[in-house]
Amino acid sequence: MIDASEAVTAVNVSTVRSVPKTATAVGYAVATKGSVARQLGVNRSSLSANGFDGKVGQTLVVPSNDGIAVAVGIGDPDELDTNALRDAAAAFGRCAAKHADLATTLADVDGVDPAEAAQAVVEGVLLASYRYVGLKTADDAGSKLESLAVVAGSKRSKGAELGAATGQTIASAAAFARELANTPPTYLNAKDIADKAVALGSDAGLTVEVFNKDQLEAMGCGGMIGVNRGSTEPPRMVKLTYSPRNPKGHLALVGKGIMYDSGGISIKGGDAFHQAMKMDMSGAAAVLATMSSLKALGCKSKVTAWLMCTDNMPSGSALKLGDVLTMRNGKTVEVLNTDAEGRLVLADGLSLAVEEGVDAIVDIATLTGAVLGALGPDIAGLLGTDQSFVDQVKESSERVDEPTWQLPLDRKRYRKLLDTPYADMKNIGGPYAGTITATIFLSEFTGDVPYAHLDIAGPMKIDADTGIYSKGASGFGTRTLIDLACNFTPPTA
């Protein structure tokens, strides 16, 4: 199988003072007001006559002798920010998709820090260019992009060079998360993703530990063992540790890694949602991709991550309704829906994170259909036990333009919905407030450690090319977690 994320990493990204002659597609920033780059060969009235007014993400192709020049809208110059530049760059990358060698002046604009501008532009072009190839046999299945020249004047070039490198690292990580989630489950099981983690560990400055089924059972990880019971594929838990010198805090990441989710004996219907269940490991993919980038980005926080990986399959040995599991922290759980399995494997990971003595924990999971009903396909649910830490996650999501919306973690009203006469709690809370009750369940395993939960069931996949996203797995959450780790501050009591 061809790994399209490697193509993103392999793009030759450079920072230059002027457009190189090798570029066959050049994107020029055009705002809704102000001057128009003379290199476009057209003036504002000509642009307007062709329906182009400079709104963010608009493009207009002007043929030239050596290729194409592209007018790229960046909106009102007084309101320009990095998110607008990222969107504009994505529009340019998509418009120039038939060209291998691109250049753009999008980062050479007033009002945005040069490093931040270049980072956003590189992220936009590279992520929009990503195309999953997988098992396709057509020669033109992948991206054609080979080089990207970021044009910046002398006063901005140094900052732009740093930002461009950061942008490629982050784009490569997000593309890696997409690649993992797009891969068919036959080609990526729990053992496979563990092998990938081990393979990247040394170069990424990570200590990697892999735990097999026997070890998980000996550790008392009843959630992992229970969910795996119906599968012929053994589970794997992967612990990754990034330890810089003199860390400013210790953050834990826990990712749901259900490599394929049939629902178990509470089997899913044969609908489009079931067809996407190879992506039920998108949380673990985002965490692994995040960890792969921290050394290159010079992250100053210690970060420990757990990937909780297994299939959820129906068989004669699968979990039954009414079974009671004993989790890593000793709590007992009655299973009344085997399709509410993500919270069972996360519970063991969260328990281990608490034992590690971390300053805060965030988990990420394609956890509930309820969040899709509440927030739609574009916004992730955000809940937590510590508002200052939830605010950090929220700020990171806003900086990278991965939208989240905070829902209330209302234990007073809804914890009783998890009560059962047969165990400490049950794994479902009823027909309503499903995202809230699921997070309340998870919070039972986080002790007094500040905790935030990201439910990405809505934005885990994209149905059509748009902005920086290509049809298929989105890699959503990767850039949020990277930003959080690199800007993490231990919450204060």
Side-chain angles (χ1 to χ4, degrees), residues 140-404:
D140 61 351
S143 170
K144 290 183 171 59
L145 183 61
E146 295 179 3
S147 71
L148 171 63
V150 179
V151 179
S154 58
K155 292 182 179 180
R156 296 175 64 87
S157 61
K158 186 175 182 179
E161 185 175 358
L162 294 173
T166 298
Q168 184 165 23
T169 297
I170 293 173
S172 297
F176 181 40
R178 293 181 187 180
E179 192 74 9
L180 291 170
N182 277 324
T183 302
T186 302
Y187 293 86
L188 188 72
N189 58 30
K191 182 180 181 298
D192 295 328
I193 197 170
D195 289 344
K196 287 181 179 292
V198 171
L200 68 80
S202 179
D203 288 344
L206 304 174
T207 300
V208 183
E209 302 170 75
V210 178
F211 299 85
N212 63 26
K213 185 175 183 177
D214 290 342
Q215 291 169 310
L216 290 168
E217 192 162 13
M219 293 166 65
C221 293
M224 284 286 287
I225 296 299
V227 173
N228 181 254
R229 211 184 277 172
S231 178
T232 59
E233 298 286 353
R236 290 290 187 271
M237 181 178 73
V238 184
K239 180 182 179 183
L240 307 105
T241 305
Y242 169 76
S243 299
R245 292 182 180 179
N246 303 314
K248 65 177 185 178
H250 189 181
L251 175 67
L253 308 178
V254 184
K256 174 187 172 183
I258 302 299
M259 309 307 293
Y260 178 74
D261 181 20
S262 70
I265 65 168
S266 303
I267 197 163
K268 296 178 184 290
D271 54 16
F273 197 67
H274 191 164
Q275 292 165 15
M277 283 300 99
K278 67 179 181 179
M279 298 181 189
D280 209 25
M281 40 63 70
S282 293
V287 170
L288 179 56
T290 296
M291 297 299 290
S292 74
S293 72
L294 299 182
K295 177 184 176 183
L297 295 172
C299 177
K300 301 300 184 184
S301 299
K302 180 177 181 179
V303 185
T304 305
W306 287 262
L307 314 180
M308 314 304 291
C309 301
T310 176
D311 290 330
N312 182 29
M313 297 292 287
S315 74
S317 60
L319 272 177
K320 307 172 187 68
L321 303 191
D323 275 350
V324 174
L325 303 176
T326 301
M327 318 304 278
R328 167 69 184 183
N329 73 348
K331 289 182 184 276
T332 54
V333 176
E334 182 186 19
V335 178
L336 293 184
N337 185 334
T338 63
D339 197 23
E341 85 299 329
R343 65 202 69 182
L344 299 176
V345 301
L346 287 172
D348 287 332
L350 293 170
S351 299
L352 289 163
V354 171
E355 294 172 25
E356 195 79 8
V358 299
D359 295 314
I361 306 169
V362 59
D363 71 41
I364 181 169
T366 49
L367 201 69
T368 66
V371 79
L372 181 60
L375 301 177
D378 298 330
I379 303 173
L382 172 61
L383 305 91
T385 60
D386 181 281
Q387 190 59 47
S388 66
F389 182 53
V390 170
D391 288 343
Q392 284 194 55
V393 179
K394 180 69 173 175
E395 289 164 5
S396 288
S397 76
E398 290 174 349
R399 276 194 293 267
V400 305
D401 200 23
E402 290 186 329
T404 60

Side-chain angles (χ1 to χ4, degrees), residues 8-202:
V8 173
T9 305
V11 172
N12 179 21
V13 176
S14 61
T15 306
V16 296
R17 301 284 181 88
S18 59
V19 174
K21 293 181 179 180
T22 53
T24 59
V26 186
Y28 294 97
V30 180
T32 54
K33 57 186 179 182
S35 61
V36 175
R38 61 177 178 78
Q39 294 91 335
L40 270 172
V42 293
N43 57 25
R44 188 169 291 278
S45 61
S46 296
L47 291 173
S48 298
N50 284 277
F52 180 94
D53 56 17
K55 291 180 180 177
V56 175
Q58 277 189 314
T59 58
L60 181 67
V61 175
V62 180
S64 68
N65 293 331
D66 300 321
I68 60 172
V70 183
V72 185
I74 59 173
D76 187 334
D78 298 326
E79 299 177 1
L80 184 61
D81 60 16
T82 54
N83 290 336
L85 280 177
R86 188 184 297 108
D87 289 342
F92 166 59
R94 205 174 296 286
C95 178
K98 293 182 179 180
H99 294 258
D101 301 300
L102 311 185
T104 180
T105 66
L106 283 166
D108 200 26
V109 293
D110 294 330
V112 181
D113 175 82
E116 294 177 0
Q119 176 184 332
V121 168
V122 171
E123 286 180 16
V125 172
L126 295 187
L127 287 174
S129 76
Y130 169 87
R131 292 291 181 276
Y132 179 68
V133 179
L135 298 166
K136 293 178 182 177
T137 57
D139 292 336
D140 61 351
S143 170
K144 290 183 171 59
L145 183 61
E146 295 179 3
S147 71
L148 171 63
V150 179
V151 179
S154 58
K155 292 182 179 180
R156 296 175 64 87
S157 61
K158 186 175 182 179
E161 185 175 358
L162 294 173
T166 298
Q168 184 165 23
T169 297
I170 293 173
S172 297
F176 181 40
R178 293 181 187 180
E179 192 74 9
L180 291 170
N182 277 324
T183 302
T186 302
Y187 293 86
L188 188 72
N189 58 30
K191 182 180 181 298
D192 295 328
I193 197 170
D195 289 344
K196 287 181 179 292
V198 171
L200 68 80
S202 179

Side-chain angles (χ1 to χ4, degrees), residues 379-457:
I379 303 173
L382 172 61
L383 305 91
T385 60
D386 181 281
Q387 190 59 47
S388 66
F389 182 53
V390 170
D391 288 343
Q392 284 194 55
V393 179
K394 180 69 173 175
E395 289 164 5
S396 288
S397 76
E398 290 174 349
R399 276 194 293 267
V400 305
D401 200 23
E402 290 186 329
T404 60
W405 190 265
Q406 186 176 357
L407 297 172
L409 188 66
D410 197 331
R411 294 180 57 86
K412 182 178 179 181
R413 288 181 173 85
Y414 294 128
R415 172 58 180 85
K416 60 189 175 184
L417 297 178
L418 298 175
D419 289 343
T420 171
Y422 305 110
D424 293 326
M425 67 186 111
K426 55 185 177 178
N427 75 323
I428 54 172
Y432 306 116
T435 304
I436 296 172
T437 55
T439 312
I440 291 172
F441 177 93
L442 293 171
S443 71
E444 294 275 329
F445 301 89
T446 60
D448 296 326
V449 180
Y451 163 66
H453 165 68
L454 281 168
D455 191 336
I456 60 169

